[in-house]
Amino acid sequence: MPSRVQLPKPLAWAGLDAGLIVALWVGFHQLRFGVEPEISKGPLIVIPLLVFLQWLLGAYAGLARRTLTVQDHFNRYLSACIAVVLMLVVSYVVSGLSLDASIGRGFLIPVLLSGGCSLLLLHGLQGSSHFWQPQQRWLVLAEKQERRVLSQELEQGGCDVPAAVEWRPLSGAAPIPDFLPELLKLQGVAVGRGSVIAEDQEVLLRWQRQGVVIRPLADWALHHLKRYPPGLLQQLDWTEQLERLSGPRSPQRFRLKRLVDLLLASAALPALATLLVLTRLSSKVAMVQSPCAGIDGQVFGQWRFGGSRWLERTGLAALPQVLNVLRGEMSLVGPRPVSPEQQNHLRDLDESFELRLLIKPGMTGWGRISGPAPQEVDALRWELGRDLYYLARGSAPLDLWILLRAGCSLLVKSSLGLIQWP
């Protein structure tokens, strides 16, 4: 009995994408005109061309291996759209025909929008698979120390991006067999800081040409764990640490972050004044200052509301810190503010806590809103890994996401606190 012919997975994703684009375009056309569209040059040229260009850019190979993020896919799709428009313009200039002669602008825009909607649907279908199986499978080539650190992180906190890990020593093992990606269904290989032997380098290069992602182990941890294990960072020298944790410290990023801090902190001043009046009328609540370790170890006075358990329960006790933000001593988003004594104690526990002083402390931060630490884990080191992630990957979109989640949490706490108003 002849075996069933199976299409390559990237080709299957391409076919699914083409079908979704056609279905969405037909739906848009019916909503706009009330009738189904007629077959013309438009769908026969633009849709296959759009799908073909995305295939050339590796979009469907990334979907098949589950290594393509929505942002990466969108960048490839945008490049394909620009290429389609340029090719159409050039063809019409050469032929002397207008754009409306055959395809028409009224067709092109709905098709491109249909492609964008199809992009989201494809990732929705891909993302649902991790409910019954790991979303990605990775081979990790690591030395003993790196494996010990990463194994502990995986056992204690798991992955934010679902993944299954296969371990292999980076040195002292037989050469990597060429057939391993198909055998293990690998999406990528994470490589530690040790040297890769020449035979394995050749194998990894062949795998990369087949679509297997090759990524440094530290970058893999940042992407999949959403935290930076301090044990991996301690293996780098000071300049390498500074280079890896320079995200929020670049001049352009620093100026943008400061501008957002000033705008949002100024907008919070009326709320601070109103809360101060209300608390003074209801109870003896005062604004107090306490020493705090700031950027590069500079000490400043941190403002808070004191003398009210209700304000502590609602999370509003820290609202006066907007004054520290306006003065440039704190930021809206950053590591947890601690006293100089607490900072010295943390540094004695782990030298990596000193890295939190590379940026200003924040009223909220990734380490506080991304979920509590597992009970068996040291909560301080758990939050440190999250803060180091922010130092490595801090960006304006991440700041806005953190502020949105912190704002929602504060709104819930405040609403519940109103029930227990003293």
Side-chain angles (χ1 to χ4, degrees):
M1 183 176 181
S3 60
R4 181 180 299 177
V5 177
Q6 294 185 352
L7 293 177
K9 286 186 177 180
L11 190 57
W13 281 103
L16 179 59
D17 191 22
L20 287 173
I21 294 175
V22 170
L24 290 168
W25 170 66
V26 170
F28 286 149
H29 194 280
Q30 286 183 324
L31 287 176
R32 182 178 179 183
F33 300 106
V35 295
E36 294 183 359
E38 297 180 356
I39 298 178
S40 62
K41 291 182 180 179
L44 295 178
I45 295 176
V46 175
I47 295 178
L49 182 59
L50 186 63
V51 173
F52 175 71
L53 289 172
Q54 291 188 83
W55 177 77
L56 286 180
L57 292 171
Y60 303 118
L63 283 171
R65 294 190 176 276
R66 305 184 190 281
T67 57
L68 195 68
T69 65
V70 176
Q71 182 63 48
D72 291 337
H73 194 172
F74 177 78
N75 292 338
R76 287 167 170 78
Y77 177 71
L78 185 61
S79 300
C81 290
I82 294 173
V84 166
V85 173
L86 290 177
M87 292 170 69
L88 290 176
V89 171
V90 170
S91 65
Y92 287 128
V93 169
V94 173
S95 64
L97 297 175
S98 65
L99 185 62
D100 293 325
S102 58
I103 293 181
R105 287 166 292 184
F107 163 79
L108 186 60
I109 294 176
V111 165
L112 297 183
L113 290 176
S114 299
C117 295
S118 175
L119 182 156
L120 297 176
L121 290 174
L122 290 176
H123 278 273
L125 292 173
Q126 183 197 53
S128 63
S129 64
H130 73 267
F131 287 112
W132 61 85
Q133 64 181 5
Q135 187 171 355
Q136 297 186 13
R137 184 175 293 276
W138 285 75
L139 175 66
V140 176
L141 306 179
E143 301 290 1
K144 290 182 180 180
Q145 176 66 13
E146 294 172 321
R147 177 170 180 173
R148 183 187 64 80
V149 171
L150 194 58
S151 296
Q152 185 178 13
E153 286 286 337
L154 292 173
E155 290 173 2
Q156 293 174 342
C159 290
D160 281 27
V161 178
V165 173
E166 298 288 340
W167 299 97
R168 182 180 174 87
L170 188 56
S171 58
I176 302 175
D178 221 347
F179 56 84
L180 209 56
E182 292 300 325
L183 178 64
L184 300 180
K185 305 298 182 183
L186 293 179
Q187 277 75 46
V189 180
V191 185
R193 285 180 53 79
S195 58
V196 181
I197 61 176
E199 293 85 348
D200 287 348
Q201 289 179 7
E202 295 177 0
V203 173
L204 293 177
L205 288 175
R206 286 197 295 271
W207 290 3
Q208 191 178 47
R209 288 192 293 270
Q210 298 169 12
V212 177
V213 177
I214 310 298
R215 177 173 289 177
L217 183 58
D219 291 345
W220 183 91
L222 286 171
H223 178 75
H224 284 79
L225 306 181
K226 301 303 180 186
R227 56 189 185 274
Y228 203 145
L232 293 181
L233 193 63
Q234 290 170 354
Q235 300 178 29
L236 309 178
D237 60 35
W238 182 80
T239 54
E240 289 178 312
Q241 291 181 2
L242 192 63
E243 190 273 334
R244 284 192 172 273
L245 304 180
S246 61
R249 289 177 63 89
S250 65
Q252 300 82 1
R253 171 81 177 99
F254 183 83
R255 288 193 291 268
L256 177 61
K257 187 176 179 67
R258 180 60 181 154
L259 177 61
V260 173
D261 284 345
L262 288 173
L263 292 176
L264 296 183
S266 299
L269 284 178
L272 174 61
T274 302
L275 184 61
L276 182 60
V277 171
L278 291 175
T279 53
R280 292 292 292 177
L281 291 176
S282 61
S283 61
K284 295 181 180 179
V285 177
M287 285 177 54
V288 297
Q289 262 190 325
S290 58
C292 180
I295 185 172
D296 299 328
Q298 300 176 6
V299 180
F300 65 91
Q302 173 194 0
W303 288 102
R304 290 182 66 88
F305 279 125
S308 174
R309 292 183 179 179
W310 176 79
L311 287 175
E312 291 290 340
R313 289 196 301 266
T314 59
L316 294 173
L319 189 58
Q321 291 174 358
V322 297
L323 300 177
N324 296 114
V325 174
L326 292 173
R327 291 169 59 177
E329 299 161 336
M330 292 182 61
S331 180
L332 293 175
V333 179
R336 184 188 299 273
V338 296
S339 67
E341 293 77 12
Q342 291 172 324
Q343 176 62 31
N344 292 333
H345 174 66
L346 294 174
R347 185 171 50 216
D348 292 338
L349 292 176
D350 193 322
E351 292 181 358
S352 299
F353 279 100
E354 186 73 14
L355 299 172
R356 298 168 71 254
L357 302 181
L358 289 174
I359 58 174
K360 299 174 185 177
M363 294 182 63
T364 186
W366 179 246
R368 282 169 276 172
I369 62 95
S370 56
Q375 294 181 356
E376 66 274 12
V377 181
D378 184 344
L380 294 174
R381 287 192 175 88
W382 176 268
E383 189 170 319
L384 171 63
R386 300 285 189 174
D387 287 336
L388 294 178
Y389 171 86
Y390 178 76
L391 279 164
R393 294 291 177 87
S395 63
L398 181 58
D399 280 1
L400 293 177
W401 173 242
I402 292 172
L403 290 173
L404 179 62
R405 290 185 59 176
C408 293
S409 176
L410 181 63
L411 182 62
V412 171
K413 288 182 179 179
S414 301
S415 301
L416 295 175
L418 287 174
I419 303 175
Q420 302 174 351
W421 178 270

